[in-house]
Amino acid sequence: MEKKIGICLCGGGARGIAHIGVLNALEDAGIKPSIISGSSMGAIVGTMYAAGIPPLKMLEIVSETSFVKIFGGFSLPKGGLSELTFLRKMLIKHLNISRFEELNLPMFICTTNLNTGKFQIFSEGDFIEPVVASSAIPLIFNPVTINNQVHVDGGVLNNLPVEPLMGNCDYLIGVNVNPYGEVENVKGLKEIGERVFDLTIWNNVENRLKCCNLVIEPQQVFSHHIFDWPNAKQIFYHGYFSAKEKIHAIKNAP
């Protein structure tokens, strides 16, 4: 009997485009995940994949001018926090469905619930608002209210939500696209903001990676910043070739 493969896709802004390359490489090798979870960009990519959108079509979508524009800068908008209206419209337009039960694969979306102070996993009912909430980077995008509670980016508390996959698959793949370790220079508001983002993410990812049977980590994307949407194709290929290196290990795992 074939292994039931689960894949967990982390957040990471534009770096998460590498997830699309990973999924494309797996498909080229005849490997198809049976269950998915994700935070932030991982939630967007995972949901689109679970809805049946081919990876190359996903790459086309995230390369669109509108997508780049809405996610394209690391600064506080002049008029206050931005709405993720385009993301909602994009999901509705390209998926034509809105409920978890309509997806082709089980999908688990992680958000950070500001009311409870804990991460929350969504897997039933409407998936549009959870995806948008999971992508709502604090201080840049407005929080999303779901069932009278306020939610933001899932990566704040759990950027690699392996929990719903553990025990529900035979082989768990985790994909990390965010840098860690020491850096020599940190200067300027933008660099400080990104460094804080990276450290916050790594703090809740490190131990969760140890729960995975295999980790795909396209380290070439570490040099890309989280709003590097114009280099979508390059980031995609980093993910693609990084995953290709792991195909043998996946196919030959017990």
Side-chain angles (χ1 to χ4, degrees):
M1 187 174 71
E2 289 189 6
K3 296 187 293 288
K4 181 180 180 181
I5 294 176
I7 189 165
C8 185
L9 307 176
C10 72
R15 296 175 191 143
I17 298 168
H19 295 320
I20 304 174
V22 168
L23 292 169
N24 199 62
L26 294 178
E27 281 204 347
D28 284 353
I31 299 170
K32 190 172 178 65
S34 300
I35 185 170
I36 309 172
S37 68
S39 279
S40 201
M41 188 60 182
I44 296 173
V45 172
T47 301
M48 294 177 75
Y49 187 75
I53 304 294
L56 291 180
K57 177 62 177 177
M58 274 191 263
L59 178 61
E60 179 184 317
I61 293 170
V62 301
S63 299
E64 289 177 356
T65 302
S66 297
F67 201 98
V68 174
K69 184 177 179 181
I70 191 65
F71 286 107
F74 193 89
S75 62
L76 287 174
K78 293 180 181 178
L81 303 185
S82 295
E83 296 284 352
L84 282 165
T85 304
F86 169 75
L87 178 57
R88 286 186 180 89
K89 290 181 178 178
M90 183 275 289
L91 292 169
I92 293 169
K93 173 185 175 182
H94 290 286
L95 303 189
N96 296 314
I97 56 174
S98 62
R99 298 183 64 80
F100 283 96
E101 293 80 6
E102 297 174 294
L103 296 170
N104 298 334
L105 299 172
M107 178 71 205
F108 297 88
I109 295 169
C110 181
T111 69
T112 295
N113 186 321
L114 295 184
N115 291 96
T116 65
K118 299 177 180 179
F119 71 85
Q120 184 167 336
I121 302 294
F122 289 87
S123 61
E124 298 177 343
D126 171 75
F127 64 70
I128 301 293
E129 292 308 296
V131 171
V132 175
S134 187
S135 308
I137 302 171
L139 303 181
I140 295 179
F141 298 113
N142 271 317
V144 176
T145 300
I146 303 174
N147 297 327
N148 297 316
Q149 294 190 316
V150 180
H151 297 257
V152 296
D153 194 326
V156 172
L157 293 181
N158 188 347
N159 202 46
L160 192 78
V162 297
E163 289 83 353
L165 303 188
M166 295 173 65
N168 288 315
C169 61
D170 303 311
Y171 193 79
L172 176 52
I173 299 172
V175 187
N176 174 50
V177 300
N178 294 295
Y180 50 88
E182 296 184 9
V183 297
E184 291 186 6
N185 297 305
V186 181
K187 56 184 178 180
L189 183 61
K190 181 178 178 181
E191 287 189 12
I192 291 171
E194 289 194 29
R195 181 60 172 165
V196 170
F197 174 87
D198 293 338
L199 292 176
T200 300
I201 293 304
W202 182 245
N203 185 58
N204 70 57
V205 165
E206 186 175 12
N207 286 329
R208 289 184 169 95
L209 286 172
K210 298 174 184 176
C211 299
C212 302
N213 298 104
L214 179 132
V215 173
I216 297 175
E217 202 169 60
Q219 296 191 6
Q220 299 95 326
V221 306
F222 290 1
S223 61
H224 293 267
H225 56 78
I226 62 173
F227 294 107
D228 196 10
W229 303 99
N231 286 310
K233 189 167 290 187
Q234 183 181 14
I235 296 171
F236 167 88
Y237 280 113
H238 287 327
Y240 181 86
F241 289 114
S242 182
K244 279 198 73 172
E245 294 175 358
K246 302 286 188 175
I247 297 300
H248 179 79
I250 297 171
K251 287 191 170 182
N252 289 277

